[in-house]
Amino acid sequence: MAQKKRVVISDPRAIRALAHPARQRVIDELYTGKVLTATECAELAGLTPSAMSYHLRALERWGIVERAEESADGRERPWRAVAASLMIASQSTGAGRLASQAIMRTSVDRLLEQFEDISGDDPWDDVSSLSRARLWLTHEEARRFGQELSDLVDRYRKGRTAASHPGGTRQVSTLLAVVPIGKPPEES
């Protein structure tokens, strides 16, 4: 089955389904192109295989993950991402906003852990960076800026996955955020 380029989640109930830390940990791995069994996912998230199966089925209901082809002997039933990337697009409702914030908090915490895990003698340490800026943009410029950032990530993704990437490559974690701050202008 061909994968979609991106899954966009806007339903607050689906966003809530993503908010669980164990689900986010597994989504993080599956969306790198890995195909994992419920047992392997459980090990990543620190859960039992039966508890993880419950979480995977919940994610499947929202179109976030799907069953991959079974193993030759039919005993293993692996899971995979339904697309190359996942995007949360709604914060308009109270429930959607709270779930989105929980997802963001977990994502930022995971990124901080990844920075902390880099050894001082890692030859790739020189590419580690975090950049923050404040820009004055119109609503349309902010929308275009966010789309250009997303397009840039897609350009560098190049169809590479955990199972299929050239030698000499290494997985690099990114976090892009576009957040309007302060009050909206009167003419919005």
Side-chain angles (χ1 to χ4, degrees):
M1 178 185 303
Q3 280 196 326
K4 297 182 256 183
K5 180 178 179 181
R6 176 176 292 125
V7 171
V8 179
I9 303 294
S10 58
D11 186 314
R13 295 169 299 169
I15 295 170
R16 272 196 310 275
L18 292 173
H20 191 284
R23 292 178 184 178
Q24 288 184 48
R25 180 70 178 103
V26 168
I27 288 167
D28 195 34
E29 290 300 315
L30 294 176
Y31 274 80
T32 67
K34 291 182 180 176
V35 176
L36 302 170
T37 64
T39 300
E40 292 168 328
C41 291
E43 289 172 11
L44 284 170
L47 298 176
T48 65
S50 61
M52 182 49 63
S53 290
Y54 167 81
H55 288 296
L56 288 164
R57 286 191 307 275
L59 294 171
E60 181 182 37
R61 278 192 300 278
W62 290 107
I64 297 163
V65 301
E66 65 186 2
R67 294 274 187 184
E69 293 75 32
E70 290 185 14
S71 64
D73 64 8
R75 292 186 306 163
E76 293 182 355
R77 301 189 63 202
W79 293 85
R80 69 178 187 175
V82 299
S85 67
L86 178 68
M87 183 171 145
I88 309 302
S90 174
Q91 291 191 36
S92 59
T93 67
R97 178 173 295 283
L98 289 174
S100 294
Q101 290 168 353
I103 291 167
M104 288 180 224
R105 189 169 294 107
T106 301
S107 296
V108 169
D109 288 347
R110 179 67 186 124
L111 189 65
L112 289 172
E113 289 170 9
Q114 290 168 339
F115 272 112
E116 292 167 358
D117 289 346
I118 298 172
S119 123
D121 60 352
D122 189 315
W124 286 53
D125 189 37
D126 64 328
V127 299
S128 298
S129 66
L130 178 63
S131 176
R132 185 174 164 190
R134 289 193 178 188
L135 309 170
W136 287 91
L137 305 174
T138 65
H139 189 266
E140 180 53 35
E141 288 172 329
R143 183 183 314 279
R144 195 169 55 241
F145 181 70
Q147 183 60 54
E148 288 177 19
L149 289 173
S150 182
D151 292 345
L152 180 64
V153 169
D154 288 345
R155 191 174 85 220
Y156 277 89
R157 183 172 283 123
K158 301 177 186 177
R160 297 174 181 178
T161 66
S164 174
H165 55 272
T169 61
R170 181 175 179 182
Q171 192 172 29
V172 174
S173 187
T174 65
L175 178 66
L176 307 174
V178 177
V179 183
I181 57 176
K183 292 184 179 181
E186 296 293 323
E187 61 275 2
S188 289

